Amino acid sequence: MTVCTTLDTPLGELLLIGEPTQDGITLTSLSMPGQKYAPAVPPARHRDPQAFAEVTRQLEAYFAGEPTTFDITFTPKGTEFQQRVWRMLETIPHGSSTTYGKLAAQLGLAREHTQALGAAIGANPLLLVRPCHRVIGADGGMRGYAGGVERKVWLLTHEGVLQPMLG
């Protein structure tokens, strides 16, 4: 059975979807309102905020400004290539960023595979906890983000990578 809950955040209401295990919950998706390729809420689901108590605690700590390395169990779904890319995303520390080119080089990908790298990053089902927002263009440009470029800017500002805009 699939379980889900929502969490109000500065980015809007996050949708958390998971599967129960004997040890608790394994997160299968974390999505934002209006996100590209966001999963639909499965019809056979059970709303259970308590099942996500630890995930929620970690997300709330993150939004409260605590530097966070998430310690969340999740179910890896995706192609072998996507999973390779996603594991590399998990190595980008809080408060830092990398470029698509550097990430491609770390993965040993030829330049012509950069588009596939971008597609794998865009298919990340665990926004925020698998920090795809920390990948930027070589020129510092924000490029795409499934949750919206404005949210990417917010997240990077929140983490201290970008300076807040004076308004």
Side-chain angles (χ1 to χ4, degrees), residues 9 18 21 32-33 44 47 62 79 82 95 99 111 119 121 140 144 154 158:
T9 73
T21 67
M32 302 175 184
R47 192 170 193 79
Y62 171 84
T79 67
Q82 287 172 328
T99 65
R111 187 167 188 81
I121 292 169
W154 189 94
H158 178 69

Side-chain angles (χ1 to χ4, degrees), residues 39-100:
V41 177
R45 71 186 183 286
H46 174 69
R47 192 170 193 79
D48 186 0
Q50 188 54 41
F52 294 92
E54 179 56 21
V55 176
T56 298
R57 185 196 66 73
Q58 290 183 47
L59 288 167
E60 287 173 342
Y62 171 84
F63 286 114
E66 295 176 27
T68 303
T69 300
F70 293 104
D71 183 18
I72 295 172
T73 304
F74 47 83
T75 303
K77 293 185 179 178
T79 67
E80 184 178 319
F81 177 73
Q82 287 172 328
Q83 289 184 41
R84 234 178 101 216
V85 170
W86 297 340
R87 282 190 300 272
M88 189 62 70
L89 293 176
E90 294 165 17
T91 68
I92 307 168
H94 182 276
S96 67
S97 64
T98 192
T99 65
Y100 291 93

Side-chain angles (χ1 to χ4, degrees), residues 4-22:
C4 67
T5 194
T6 56
L7 177 65
D8 287 326
T9 73
L11 299 175
E13 186 178 71
L14 301 182
L15 173 63
L16 289 75
I17 299 175
E19 297 170 353
T21 67
Q22 59 188 19

Side-chain angles (χ1 to χ4, degrees), residues 11 32 36 100 127-128 132-133 142-149 151-152 155:
L11 299 175
M32 302 175 184
K36 287 184 202 171
Y100 291 93
L127 294 190
L128 194 62
C132 54
H133 61 277
M142 291 300 105
R143 305 294 184 267
Y145 181 61
V149 172
R151 287 189 179 121
K152 183 173 189 167
L155 289 165

